[in-house]
Amino acid sequence: MNFDKELDVRGLVCPLPILRTKKSLTDMTRGQILKIVATDPASLIDFQVFAEQTGNQLLSSAETSGEFLFYLKKK
């Protein structure tokens, strides 16, 4: 999937991945896509809830080799 910006939050635990994501989104424009790579298992639920609460669209989420990959589209 194409993306405009990548955020690496591997090794960080809740709430830091969400806080870093929120900060990254402030520098982006509407419709741009942020790729996030995380290792915190709680991030699966955290990013779903974050998308619902903020109106940003979670385009996809996947797990590979203990890493979680998210694509989030800015509202």
Side-chain angles (χ1 to χ4, degrees):
M1 182 179 295
N2 293 330
F3 57 92
D4 300 289
K5 189 175 182 180
E6 184 171 358
L7 177 64
D8 183 350
V9 292
R10 289 179 280 203
L12 302 178
V13 294
C14 187
L16 291 176
I18 294 295
L19 293 175
R20 299 267 172 96
T21 297
K22 195 172 180 180
K23 184 178 179 184
S24 288
L25 286 170
T26 60
D27 298 335
M28 298 175 70
T29 58
R30 181 185 184 109
Q32 286 189 312
I33 296 174
L34 177 63
K35 175 185 176 183
I36 306 145
V37 183
T39 50
D40 182 8
S43 63
L44 280 172
I45 294 169
D46 292 343
F47 279 101
Q48 289 173 359
V49 171
F50 176 76
E52 290 170 9
Q53 290 179 344
T54 62
N56 295 297
Q57 185 180 0
L58 183 59
L59 300 174
S60 72
S61 61
E63 179 186 0
T64 355
S65 305
E67 289 187 348
F68 302 92
L69 185 61
F70 304 95
Y71 288 93
L72 195 63
K73 184 175 183 180
K74 183 170 177 169
K75 68 174 182 175

